[in-house]
């Protein structure tokens, strides 16, 4: 399929990927960019076309204003994915990206003719109705940087470089505002199967909070706990890739 300019704005592809397998669209964490998923894309290139969403306000979209609302972000991403009906669709979201993936799925399921994910892979995030309140986005620059550093997903050399910090702070603060002001009622569900993964030492989500994702699907549910903290994915790429492969096959999606 020839991608439209709107899709090109939102999706990045790092590897050619399978020409016949499903399309896996990955959504980054707060402050994150599409390149976070480069290793996962490499691990799955033989069985799927892996695309990563590039949110506004970072990397090659630095000049664009970042979103401060999950709903607004999900609206635009769902609209961009609308034409992608040429192959089965699945979503993978990490941290904030898990919530964005859930909300994008809700929108696609409610849109006639849109591609509907049969499976979603939330990672490193409490269930939508268990979202923790937060005030990081109200803090000064130092407190935002401290929150980033505590999660451990950003190279400390970047956090020590004033010029780089100046570039990443606006998008990071906007992302924190989006996720900290997000609310979801307990009874809201999607039909997609949910396969959730967390790290066993992640202070940002408990196993009980992750298990509560089961309340947000009318389909199948599965939870796995892997070694690592909030960014366990950085050291568990192959284990996560295997969960994706197994999940896709279990959802009836043939791999290349």
């Amino acid at each position: 399929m020839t991608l439209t300019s709107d899709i090109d704005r939102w999706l990045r592809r790092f590897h050619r990927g399978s020409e016949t397998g499903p399309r896996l669209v990955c959504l980054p964490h707060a402050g994150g960019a599409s390149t976070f998923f480069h290793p996962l894309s490499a691990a799955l290139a033989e069985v799927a076309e892996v695309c990563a969403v590039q949110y506004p306000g970072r990397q090659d979209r630095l000049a664009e204003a970042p979103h401060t609302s999950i709903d607004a972000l999900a609206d635009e991403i769902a609209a961009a994915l609308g034409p992608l009906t040429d192959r089965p669709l699945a979503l993978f979201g990490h941290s904030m990206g898990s919530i964005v993936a859930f909300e994008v799925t809700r929108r696609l399921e409610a849109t006639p003719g849109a591609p509907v994910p049969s499976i979603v892979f939330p990672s490193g995030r409490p269930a939508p109705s268990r979202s923790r309140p937060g005030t990081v986005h109200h803090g000064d620059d130092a407190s935002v940087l401290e929150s980033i550093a505590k999660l451990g997903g950003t190279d400390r050399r970047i956090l020590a470089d004033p010029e780089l910090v100046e570039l990443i702070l606006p998008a990071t603060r906007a992302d924190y505002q989006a996720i900290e002001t997000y609310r979801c009622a307990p009874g809201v569900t999607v039909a997609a199967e949910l396969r959730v993964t967390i790290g066993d030492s992640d202070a940002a989500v408990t196993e009980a909070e992750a298990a509560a994702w089961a309340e947000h699907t009318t389909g199948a549910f599965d939870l796995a706990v892997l070694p690592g903290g909030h960014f366990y994915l950085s050291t568990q790429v192959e284990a996560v890739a295997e969960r994706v492969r197994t999940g896709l096959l279990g959802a009836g999606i043939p791999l290349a």
Side-chain angles (χ1 to χ4, degrees), residues 151-168:
L151 291 176
T154 304
D155 191 324
R156 288 188 176 271
R157 291 172 295 181
I158 294 176
L159 300 180
D161 186 321
E163 292 184 0
L164 292 177
V165 165
E166 187 177 354
L167 291 177
I168 68 172

Side-chain angles (χ1 to χ4, degrees), residues 84-85 87-90 105 107-111 113-119 191-192:
L84 297 181
T85 57
R87 60 173 82 196
L89 176 66
T105 300
R107 285 153 175 77
L108 291 175
E109 289 184 349
T111 304
V116 177
S118 55
I119 187 167

Side-chain angles (χ1 to χ4, degrees), residues 51-52 54 98 104 110 117 122 156-157 171 174 186 193 216 233:
C51 302
Q54 187 78 296
S98 296
V104 168
R156 288 188 176 271
R157 291 172 295 181
E193 176 179 346
H216 292 278
L233 179 55

Side-chain angles (χ1 to χ4, degrees), residues 3-250:
L3 299 184
T4 67
S5 58
D6 192 44
I7 295 170
D8 285 336
R9 283 176 53 233
W10 286 95
L11 298 186
R12 303 292 175 268
R13 288 181 290 185
F14 305 114
H15 303 90
R16 181 180 179 87
S18 166
E19 295 183 358
T20 58
R23 176 175 289 115
L24 179 70
V25 174
C26 302
L27 300 109
H29 53 282
S34 61
T35 47
F36 176 73
F37 291 107
H38 187 282
L40 186 61
S41 172
L44 292 168
E46 293 186 2
V47 299
E49 180 191 76
V50 181
C51 302
V53 170
Q54 187 78 296
Y55 302 143
R58 62 218 75 201
Q59 293 185 341
D60 56 341
R61 299 188 71 181
L62 189 63
E64 300 178 51
H67 284 285
T68 56
S69 161
I70 295 293
D71 285 339
L73 185 59
D75 285 345
E76 290 203 39
I77 295 172
L81 296 182
L84 297 181
T85 57
D86 58 319
R87 60 173 82 196
L89 176 66
L91 302 183
F92 186 107
H94 182 65
S95 195
M96 181 186 84
S98 296
I99 298 299
V100 179
F102 176 74
E103 290 296 336
V104 168
T105 300
R106 290 180 63 195
R107 285 153 175 77
L108 291 175
E109 289 184 349
T111 304
V116 177
S118 55
I119 187 167
V120 178
F121 299 90
S123 165
R125 182 73 197 176
S129 59
R130 304 298 197 278
S131 292
R132 301 179 183 183
T135 58
V136 172
H137 71 281
H138 289 306
D140 58 18
D141 290 351
S143 63
V144 174
L145 292 175
E146 182 182 359
S147 295
I148 299 172
K150 281 182 178 178
L151 291 176
T154 304
D155 191 324
R156 288 188 176 271
R157 291 172 295 181
I158 294 176
L159 300 180
D161 186 321
E163 292 184 0
L164 292 177
V165 165
E166 187 177 354
L167 291 177
I168 68 172
L169 264 177
T172 302
R173 186 184 295 278
D175 288 352
Y176 269 107
Q177 180 176 347
I179 196 60
E180 288 179 343
T181 56
Y182 171 80
R183 298 292 182 270
C184 179
V188 176
T189 61
V190 294
E193 176 179 346
L194 299 180
R195 287 179 67 89
V196 179
T197 312
I198 62 171
D200 62 2
S201 57
D202 186 356
V205 53
T206 66
E207 189 168 345
E209 289 172 327
W213 276 95
E215 302 171 15
H216 292 278
T217 178
T218 58
F221 172 79
D222 177 72
L223 170 63
V225 182
L226 297 179
H230 190 60
F231 288 98
Y232 73 91
L233 179 55
S234 298
T235 58
Q236 299 288 330
V237 174
E238 186 48 52
V240 173
E242 183 56 31
R243 274 187 60 72
V244 172
R245 294 187 198 100
T246 302
L248 292 171
L249 287 171

